[in-house]
Amino acid sequence: MKKIFITMAFVLAAAWGANAQRYCVIDTKYILESIPEYKEAQQKLDAVADQWQKEIDAKFQEVDKMYKSYQAEQVMLTEELKQKREAEIVAKEKDAKDLQKKRFGYEGDLFKKREELVKPIQDRIYNAVQKLAASRMFDFVLDKSGGATVIFYDPKLDKSDEILKSLGVKK
């Protein structure tokens, strides 16, 4: 009876060990910030965004200038001229808002530029993570950069430096 119990305990322990999931933790934010190409891409994006923001600010300043001019001259204008000037101001403001949406809106120019510059880097990281997971037989990989999904992890499980090494980044 004792032999059967010990044998069953051993079989259960072996089965549990075979079914145990293997996982690791990475920090994609750390990985990205350690890659020089990402820093360059981010600087390019920031420069483009600044340029576009200045362009949009200039358009809104023009609208503001038109409105202030209209307010100063309003008492001297006929009703027909008032409506014409108001329509011009509204049209100019709409143009500025449309440009803002085109540049910074959902799937706007900045989004496309980010895709062009950053997505290839993200794809390289994703491929490196896949290779690491396959070679080490990890069942899943957690990303701690979001902060909300990982409450605690053992630093030994963090494989971010291995991903960087596989990408050829020296730390």
Side-chain angles (χ1 to χ4, degrees), residues 66 70 80-94:
M66 287 174 70
Y70 167 74
E80 186 178 310
L81 282 174
K82 284 182 186 180
Q83 289 176 352
K84 183 180 176 193
R85 296 276 295 275
E86 287 172 3
E88 288 172 354
I89 293 168
V90 167
K92 200 69 143 166
E93 186 176 26
K94 183 184 180 313

Side-chain angles (χ1 to χ4, degrees), residues 2-168:
K2 194 174 183 182
K3 272 186 171 179
I4 293 174
F5 179 75
I6 292 173
T7 304
M8 286 188 62
F10 181 77
V11 168
L12 285 174
W16 181 79
N19 287 331
Q21 295 182 333
R22 293 176 37 97
Y23 61 94
C24 72
V25 176
I26 63 167
D27 185 345
T28 53
K29 183 178 178 189
Y30 165 76
I31 292 169
L32 282 170
E33 290 173 354
S34 298
I35 297 175
E37 298 97 318
Y38 176 77
K39 290 177 184 175
E40 291 170 21
Q42 198 58 48
Q43 288 172 347
K44 287 179 185 176
L45 282 172
D46 291 345
V48 167
D50 286 346
Q51 178 186 347
W52 288 341
Q53 188 59 51
K54 287 176 184 172
E55 181 184 5
I56 291 165
D57 289 345
K59 289 201 176 280
F60 278 115
Q61 285 174 353
E62 191 177 333
V63 169
D64 191 46
K65 193 174 170 183
M66 287 174 70
Y67 182 71
K68 286 179 181 175
S69 173
Y70 167 74
Q71 282 184 321
E73 299 169 358
Q74 183 177 357
V75 292
M76 298 181 284
L77 298 175
T78 65
E79 199 58 40
E80 186 178 310
L81 282 174
K82 284 182 186 180
Q83 289 176 352
K84 183 180 176 193
R85 296 276 295 275
E86 287 172 3
E88 288 172 354
I89 293 168
V90 167
K92 200 69 143 166
E93 186 176 26
K94 183 184 180 313
D95 287 346
K97 286 181 179 178
D98 288 347
L99 180 61
Q100 186 176 39
K101 184 178 177 183
K102 178 183 181 249
R103 297 288 195 215
F104 297 106
Y106 178 70
E107 293 193 12
D109 293 341
L110 187 64
F111 176 83
K112 291 173 186 168
K113 193 73 169 168
R114 184 179 311 279
E115 282 252 314
E116 173 190 322
L117 296 173
V118 176
K119 190 167 182 339
I121 299 166
Q122 291 173 326
D123 288 345
R124 282 179 39 218
I125 293 169
Y126 179 74
N127 291 335
V129 169
Q130 277 189 313
K131 285 180 186 174
L132 176 74
S135 69
R136 298 282 190 84
M137 299 187 309
F138 290 127
D139 293 322
F140 55 97
V141 178
L142 300 172
D143 182 5
K144 73 174 185 171
S145 67
T149 54
V150 178
I151 297 170
F152 172 81
Y153 75 98
D154 184 342
K156 292 183 289 188
L157 297 173
D158 191 335
K159 304 301 179 193
S160 302
D161 287 326
E162 285 186 47
I163 298 297
L164 286 170
K165 185 178 177 184
S166 73
L167 292 169

